[in-house]
Amino acid sequence: MQNIAVVTGASSGIGAATARRLATEGFHVVAAARRADRLEALVKEIGAGATAVGCDVTSDDSVAGLAAAVAGLGGPLTLLVNNAGGARGVDPVATGAVEDWQWMYDVNVLGTLRVTQALLPALEASGRGTIVTVGSTAAFTPYEGGGGYVAAKHAETALVGTLRLELSGKPVRVVEIDPGMVRTDEFAVNRFGGDRAKADSVYAGVREPLVADDIADCIAWAATRAQHVNIDRLVVRPIAQAAQHKVHREL
């Protein structure tokens, strides 16, 4: 059996791109997400090198089902990509919706916690495990209108850093990939409640924002280094984005 890689949030964007890429790297990819129809289409595209598993990272029972499905494949689990996450709203802290903040914390932080806890024993048992968590530049740079997402991503990076310390001496690497401006089909649209025009305005005038395949390439690179090499944190921005507030636009 091939080495197994689990990718959460695999139904679209970075997750789907990562599933495709890891299959070309020789992994048997378990594509996990809530939307079963999209997962089935992705797995059909990839072929025999992938398995679809419906999973809601905000549900303990659903994550337990994911772990059971992975165990049932019979091969060694050597890679987990914690990609599931997202943002909702751009309200200031003073008027931000508590339910949006709650959702962002549950998906980005507790979702990462649930899946990591459920799969860590198998990763450790493989003797060559790697956990890659997809964070954000929001994990270390606050910006106006991003309070809930910034808070969640700061918490997620704290989780990752703590985990790396706690796994010292064990055969599991802990990697964090922090993308800046990435244009995907859904991230900004979901953040703006489905408003495509507002989502498009985020990238207005930016000649080449990053795309999902760029991040998938970084994930695959980090995961396929020699096992003694750990990429603690990889910050990835398009050349047009020098910093969170410094974006070159050609308008």
Side-chain angles (χ1 to χ4, degrees):
M1 179 68 183
Q2 298 164 280
N3 288 339
I4 296 170
V6 172
V7 181
T8 64
S11 60
S12 65
I14 292 170
T18 300
R20 294 186 189 99
R21 176 58 188 274
L22 292 177
T24 71
E25 296 287 348
F27 289 94
H28 183 88
V29 179
V30 175
R34 291 176 296 113
R35 293 176 292 185
D37 56 337
R38 291 198 173 206
L39 286 182
E40 293 297 341
L42 175 65
V43 167
K44 184 177 180 180
E45 174 192 340
I46 294 172
T51 298
V53 178
C55 180
D56 178 354
V57 300
T58 68
S59 163
D60 292 346
D61 290 343
S62 187
V63 171
L66 170 63
V70 172
L73 292 174
L77 174 64
T78 61
L79 175 60
L80 165 61
V81 180
N82 283 314
N83 168 72
R88 281 188 181 174
V90 289
D91 300 324
V93 172
T95 57
V98 171
E99 57 268 29
D100 286 346
W101 284 56
Q102 182 71 57
W103 180 86
M104 286 185 279
Y105 195 87
D106 202 10
V107 172
N108 292 283
V109 185
L110 299 183
T112 295
L113 176 64
R114 288 184 183 93
V115 177
T116 300
Q117 287 181 339
L119 297 181
L120 184 56
L123 287 161
E124 188 173 346
S126 76
R128 53 188 186 280
T130 302
I131 299 170
V132 177
T133 297
V134 180
S136 168
T137 52
F140 47 85
T141 306
Y143 57 93
E144 297 93 332
Y149 186 62
V150 166
K153 286 302 186 182
H154 269 68
E156 187 177 42
T157 198
L159 183 162
V160 171
T162 303
L163 181 65
R164 187 181 299 112
L165 293 172
E166 293 174 347
L167 292 181
S168 179
K170 296 183 179 180
V172 181
R173 300 183 294 181
V174 179
V175 178
E176 181 177 348
I177 308 288
D178 290 322
M181 182 176 280
V182 184
R183 184 164 198 165
T184 62
D185 291 338
E186 296 187 341
F187 180 87
V189 174
N190 291 337
R191 183 169 208 170
F192 287 102
D195 190 322
R196 173 66 67 176
K198 286 185 178 180
D200 287 344
S201 71
V202 173
Y203 311 99
V206 179
R207 180 186 294 179
E208 289 182 299
L210 298 176
V211 295
D213 284 338
D214 294 322
I215 308 307
D217 184 49
C218 293
I219 292 169
W221 176 78
T224 56
R225 298 308 86 204
Q227 189 65 24
H228 70 283
V229 177
N230 194 91
I231 309 301
D232 283 11
R233 166 179 275 175
L234 182 60
V235 178
V236 190
R237 292 188 176 99
I239 193 171
Q241 186 183 32
Q244 207 81 340
H245 286 83
K246 181 69 172 178
V247 180
H248 177 71
R249 299 179 188 271
E250 300 176 359
L251 299 175

